[in-house]
Amino acid sequence: MVEIKRYSPVAFKVSPKRVEVRDNWTVVLEYDGEGQGANYLVDLSHITRFDVQSSNLDAIKPFGVTIPQGLCESNLQDGLLINRMNGIQASIFCLSGKKPEMPSESSYTETTEVGMCMAIFGKNVFSITEKLTSLDFMDPAKKTPFLYQGPMSHIPCQIITLSRDGEKCGIIFTASRGYGKDMTHAIMDAGAEFGVKPAGEDKFKSWLGSL
Amino acid sequence: MSLTITCPICGKRNGYEFRFGGEDKGPRPDEDSLTPQRWCEYVHLNECVAGVQKEWWVHKDGCGSWFTIHRDTVMNVEVAKPEADR
């Protein structure tokens, strides 16, 4: 029997302190020297993601969670993040880390392995993103969580703003898998003046739990 | 940023996020009476209006949707749909 091994397109220049193998991914739970920093960057490329597409999207409730009706609105419930991309399409991120069973309907496509996914959180997140994109994350007309489909560091991304609340500020974004290495480099470089540090999944989960 | 374009999905965005898709030339000519000359004109000839024209754009760095806008080609700004087209 052939053993599958899945590799994240994202790698940091620090050594993992604790890892876990989950669904053939090597998931880093904690990095050396994480400490109590101000801003963190977490690789979430292993979390399960789906696209759902249907001409009658409002009739679909992925894993019991409602798809938002408004364009570019998101819904975070029980660790499941659903983003309305357009009239017929939504993306689903299983942020809890558990892999749900693939729904049998043909409207679902698993997209986990085609992209990279990262989270940046901390009090200076929007100072960092300001160096990477012209998208306005502080637009008062938008209510968190919300989706932007636009360029960050010149790369087309889906960016979901989960919080704009002081220390809890944070975004999650995905882009094509091939950009993983260069996006990491660009974000670490832009975040250097704000002390951004790589962090493992545990740090992400405690931030997500605080929202 | 000189040009902003309003995407029907994402709203008003930086013009650099979009790619121009050409003038809106209306529906394809009827194929029953189509001549090579008429097809060639439809595909290759443009009005090149100095003023407001209807154009196709695609939000290539965003949601990927194709849509039309009206743009003043002299000022290079997006404008509201002219009264005559409503």
Side-chain angles (χ1 to χ4, degrees):
Chain A
M1 187 179 158
V2 177
E3 192 180 318
I4 300 167
K5 196 161 186 180
R6 295 190 166 98
Y7 290 93
S8 169
V10 176
F12 298 120
K13 288 179 181 170
V14 286
S15 312
K17 192 171 178 184
R18 285 188 300 120
V19 297
E20 178 183 299
V21 177
R22 194 188 306 153
D23 188 31
N24 307 111
W25 294 92
T26 303
V27 179
V28 179
L29 303 176
E30 186 184 355
Y31 281 96
D32 268 337
E34 270 182 23
Q36 291 300 315
N39 304 285
Y40 289 108
L41 179 63
V42 179
D43 174 22
L44 295 174
S45 301
H46 60 279
I47 62 157
T48 308
R49 301 184 292 285
F50 297 101
D51 254 29
V52 55
Q53 187 167 349
S54 167
S55 57
N56 190 15
L57 203 59
D58 294 334
I60 297 177
K61 265 187 121 178
F63 310 105
V65 178
T66 310
I67 298 173
Q69 289 218 323
L71 295 176
C72 300
E73 286 178 3
S74 300
N75 187 8
L76 177 62
Q77 194 181 317
D78 302 330
L80 203 71
L81 180 66
I82 302 189
N83 316 295
R84 181 76 176 234
M85 296 159 66
N86 52 48
I88 57 163
Q89 208 175 358
S91 59
I92 305 167
F93 295 17
C94 306
L95 299 180
S96 65
K98 290 178 197 151
K99 182 174 182 169
E101 199 171 318
M102 176 80 179
S104 56
E105 295 97 318
S106 60
S107 42
Y108 290 87
T109 307
E110 186 173 346
T111 57
T112 312
E113 289 178 54
V114 301
M116 51 151 292
C117 181
M118 286 200 273
I120 323 173
F121 52 90
K123 64 178 179 181
N124 303 111
V125 165
F126 300 115
S127 302
I128 298 168
T129 55
E130 198 171 65
K131 295 169 75 176
L132 299 166
T133 175
S134 61
L135 297 170
D136 180 12
F137 294 95
M138 301 308 282
D139 183 352
K142 292 189 179 292
K143 190 168 169 279
T144 57
F146 63 87
L147 167 72
Y148 266 137
Q149 297 173 93
M152 184 155 78
S153 198
H154 307 286
I155 307 300
C157 293
Q158 273 188 30
I159 311 168
I160 301 99
T161 305
L162 287 182
S163 172
R164 301 188 287 198
D165 179 18
E167 308 264 326
K168 293 182 191 172
C169 287
I171 60 168
I172 293 178
F173 67 93
T174 59
S176 287
R177 184 180 166 92
Y179 295 115
K181 188 180 161 197
D182 294 324
M183 282 291 268
T184 310
H185 177 81
I187 295 166
M188 290 303 288
D189 192 52
E193 64 176 300
F194 304 103
V196 71
K197 286 181 176 179
E201 198 193 47
D202 283 357
K203 197 69 100 179
F204 169 75
K205 280 187 175 168
S206 75
W207 170 67
L208 190 67
S210 73
L211 299 179
Chain B
M1 186 194 323
S2 57
L3 175 65
T4 58
I5 291 174
T6 308
C7 168
I9 305 283
C10 305
K12 194 172 180 174
R13 290 282 187 84
N14 186 334
Y16 291 113
E17 293 181 21
F18 299 83
R19 184 171 74 78
F20 182 60
E23 288 178 11
D24 178 48
K25 299 177 186 176
R28 286 164 66 105
D30 185 9
E31 293 197 10
D32 291 341
S33 54
L34 188 62
T35 61
Q37 173 77 22
R38 173 77 187 92
W39 179 247
C40 184
E41 286 172 2
Y42 176 75
V43 172
H44 296 293
L45 296 188
N46 290 293
E47 293 291 331
C48 298
V49 171
V52 175
Q53 72 175 10
K54 192 177 179 188
E55 300 171 336
W56 282 99
W57 287 81
V58 58
H59 196 184
K60 69 175 171 64
D61 284 354
C63 62
S65 38
W66 281 90
F67 55 94
T68 56
I69 62 161
H70 288 82
R71 183 175 65 97
D72 184 331
T73 59
V74 177
M75 305 297 290
N76 194 28
V77 288
E78 184 185 1
V79 295
K81 194 175 183 179
E83 202 64 45
D85 289 357
R86 287 182 190 181

